[in-house]
Amino acid sequence: MIVREAKLLKGTKEQYQSIDDAIRTAQFIRNKAVRYWMDNQGVGKADLYKLCKDLAASFDFALKLNSAARQASTERAWQSISGFYKSCKKQKKNIGYPKFKKHSRSVEYKVSGWKLSDDCKIITFTDGFKIGSLSVFCNHQTREDLHRLKINRVRLVHKADGYYAQFCFDAERKEEGVYTGNVVGLDLGLKYFTKDQNDNAVIYPQFLRKSERRLKKAQKRLSKKFVKGKKPQSINYHRSRKRLGKVHLKIQRQRKDWAIKLARCVVHSNDVIVYEDLKITNMVKNHHLAKSISDVSWYQFTHWLDYYGKVLDKVVVAVSPNYTSQDCSSCGHRVRKLLSTRTHLCSNYGIEICRDTNAAINILKKGMKILGSKWQNSTSGQEESASQEEKHGEKIANAIDGKLDIASGFL
Ligand SMILES: [Zn+2]
């Protein structure tokens, strides 16, 4: 699935208000469905669809929303419910009981309820909310896709700086990869964002640090304006709340942009990429490291590595980070070090190299070992790798979908 985004411009105040109403209605239906599931035993997906029909019959505003969009809202509810069932089955620690949404930011239409003009410059929503026509403002690539591909879904999203339409296309992105004969092992770290086995380092950019400082300032300003227990909060509070939202959005875009470009560049110039599969959520809980780790957008970066590996037909392997920084890359001897120890010193041969470079070599070795044993173990090698790839693709598609939801639920 490909998702492209366009800004919706030239609407009147009433039109944007209608979009908000539609979003609120979608949230209402989703929450009702979750409530219904909580209150009754053995509720399945079909029951939720039925509930959706009943809601439309008993609430005028629910009827206003396009019927397929209503269904999509129930499907969202079902998604969180089935996600909960799945994690129960796997006996995960973090079960994720379905929650009610309070500040939903988006509504999803399927193939009906909207119409795109022939030149793809105007989109018209035709359901009961009477949103009407809006100008579609997007980049060249998006416009091309709008002309070329079939649109599966349209999401209306309210962000801090305006209203957007996200178009989901039923297609996979594929590009011709250029094979360079290079392999790379990447160590993700605090001092360097990444470091490879040849001592090439990428440093976390200053402009992102600057934006993060700006974000912190805006957060402080907001918390000063907050008066506990006061309802409603002052105009100034809401003003700085909106400002904070915009700063968030900006840094979110900057981070994403940087991570995408770096990942694309790495996948482009290498055929095999090995990185550490850091369990970020576990690490952020460690308070000492928390700040710098959440600062650094490792998660996003590795995500896009996976994605581009698939797009450009390259091999991207994640290996477990156990002992990668402790073990010696040339003799395997385990040298314990603290986080502050910057060099790796081996007593066997007396070599001294940067700890991150040492780790990068270990990571590369681990990755190659995995690839090698996979190759040897598979008696029907071709088939196995195909199914593996499919699984891989599924994982990526889901993850990207999830990310969009996070993005649209953001301020
Ligand atoms: Zn050694």
Side-chain angles (χ1 to χ4, degrees):
M1 189 180 61
I2 298 174
V3 181
R4 300 243 180 248
E5 195 174 72
K7 197 160 186 180
L8 297 174
L9 297 175
K10 293 185 190 163
T12 60
K13 224 176 175 184
E14 288 76 30
Q15 281 182 298
Y16 291 134
Q17 184 60 47
S18 308
I19 297 181
D20 283 336
D21 289 343
I23 291 173
R24 209 166 318 128
T25 307
Q27 177 182 294
F28 170 81
I29 293 171
R30 184 200 169 274
N31 285 347
K32 276 279 180 191
V34 171
R35 175 91 260 170
Y36 185 74
W37 171 79
M38 285 175 180
D39 290 347
N40 299 283
Q41 264 191 346
V43 173
K45 201 174 178 184
D47 300 313
L48 292 188
Y49 280 134
K50 201 177 156 287
L51 173 81
C52 177
K53 251 186 202 165
D54 294 345
L55 284 176
S58 43
F59 294 95
D60 284 345
F61 62 90
L63 189 64
K64 271 187 181 175
L65 189 65
N66 174 273
S67 65
R70 285 199 299 264
Q71 273 187 12
S73 315
T74 20
E75 277 159 21
R76 273 192 186 185
W78 183 250
Q79 224 172 21
S80 66
I81 292 166
S82 62
F84 166 68
Y85 282 143
K86 255 181 222 161
S87 52
C88 279
K89 250 185 209 160
K90 279 185 199 158
Q91 296 185 321
K92 275 190 191 167
K93 252 188 206 164
N94 232 338
I95 294 181
Y97 194 74
K99 281 183 195 146
F100 296 115
K101 285 240 156 125
K102 261 195 206 157
H103 305 286
S104 182
R105 286 268 154 183
S106 66
V107 55
E108 193 168 90
Y109 287 81
K110 290 185 182 175
V111 289
S112 60
W114 56 273
K115 203 177 170 334
L116 206 58
S117 66
D118 288 335
D119 58 0
C120 295
K121 284 185 178 165
I122 290 169
I123 189 166
T124 312
F125 289 88
T126 51
D127 64 348
F129 282 105
K130 300 206 169 54
I131 295 168
S133 301
L134 290 156
S135 240
V136 176
F137 180 76
C138 58
N139 59 18
H140 173 70
Q141 180 75 55
T142 309
R143 182 130 300 150
E144 220 170 58
D145 284 347
L146 282 175
H147 278 292
R148 195 166 54 95
L149 299 169
K150 190 181 163 290
I151 301 168
N152 250 354
R153 278 163 193 246
V154 177
R155 248 179 246 147
L156 276 173
V157 187
H158 183 180
K159 292 191 183 181
D161 69 340
Y163 293 80
Y164 291 81
Q166 287 172 346
F167 299 96
C168 306
F169 304 104
D170 196 11
E172 284 304 323
R173 191 170 160 194
K174 267 275 171 235
E175 280 174 40
E176 192 82 18
V178 182
Y179 295 99
T180 55
N182 296 334
V183 293
V184 72
L186 291 176
D187 176 53
L188 306 176
L190 296 173
K191 181 130 192 271
Y192 307 100
F193 184 74
T194 67
K195 195 154 202 193
D196 72 2
Q197 77 277 14
N198 297 323
D199 224 19
N200 301 315
V202 174
I203 295 167
Y204 195 65
Q206 265 306 311
F207 74 88
L208 282 178
R209 292 229 181 281
K210 231 183 211 169
S211 305
E212 276 152 15
R213 278 201 289 276
R214 209 171 302 137
L215 180 69
K216 204 167 259 172
K217 235 184 205 169
Q219 265 162 350
K220 247 182 212 161
R221 215 169 283 149
L222 179 68
S223 64
K224 267 186 199 158
K225 301 255 159 62
F226 182 76
V227 183
K228 205 180 169 190
K230 189 180 168 190
K231 244 179 198 181
Q233 292 286 331
S234 65
I235 294 171
N236 274 332
Y237 169 82
H238 287 291
R239 221 173 259 158
S240 42
R241 182 178 60 86
K242 277 177 191 155
R243 191 167 305 144
L244 175 67
K246 278 187 191 161
V247 178
H248 253 305
L249 200 60
K250 173 153 192 204
I251 186 171
Q252 205 184 347
R253 284 177 179 150
Q254 280 180 323
R255 265 192 198 141
K256 186 175 161 193
D257 186 58
W258 184 72
I260 286 183
K261 279 179 183 153
L262 182 61
R264 192 188 162 84
C265 174
V266 168
V267 177
H268 224 276
S269 43
N270 294 285
D271 296 349
V272 178
I273 298 101
V274 188
Y275 68 86
E276 304 174 89
D277 190 13
L278 294 162
K279 294 276 176 281
I280 303 289
T281 43
N282 284 344
M283 293 198 77
V284 174
K285 274 180 204 151
N286 178 345
H287 285 290
H288 275 299
L289 282 173
K291 196 203 152 286
S292 16
I293 286 179
S294 52
D295 266 0
V296 190
S297 337
W298 289 337
Y299 176 72
Q300 229 175 9
F301 173 65
T302 54
H303 218 92
W304 290 107
L305 278 183
D306 287 344
Y307 175 79
Y308 278 112
K310 213 182 141 241
V311 170
L312 297 169
D313 264 336
K314 306 264 180 116
V315 181
V316 179
V317 188
V319 300
S320 94
N322 297 345
Y323 302 115
T324 47
S325 56
Q326 315 284 346
D327 288 354
C328 173
S329 55
S330 48
C331 68
H333 179 67
R334 192 156 292 167
V335 186
R336 298 257 172 213
K337 6 178 146 47
L338 296 170
L339 256 178
S340 53
T341 318
R342 299 302 316 162
T343 50
H344 168 78
L345 238 170
C346 178
S347 48
N348 282 0
Y349 294 98
I351 54 162
E352 188 180 346
I353 51 173
C354 169
R355 72 173 273 152
D356 299 318
T357 310
N358 178 57
I361 298 171
N362 282 331
I363 288 164
L364 183 62
K365 272 186 178 171
K366 266 193 183 180
M368 287 308 173
K369 211 172 170 185
I370 290 176
L371 286 178
S373 63
K374 239 186 206 155
W375 185 254
Q376 278 167 359
N377 286 347
S378 57
T379 42
S380 51
Q382 284 296 330
E383 269 179 333
E384 175 123 324
S385 72
S387 69
Q388 276 289 339
E389 219 161 276
E390 263 166 38
K391 257 186 226 157
H392 193 60
E394 196 180 59
K395 192 179 112 195
I396 290 165
N398 290 342
I400 288 172
D401 222 23
K403 189 175 292 171
L404 276 173
D405 278 345
I406 295 167
S408 51
F410 215 79
L411 280 162

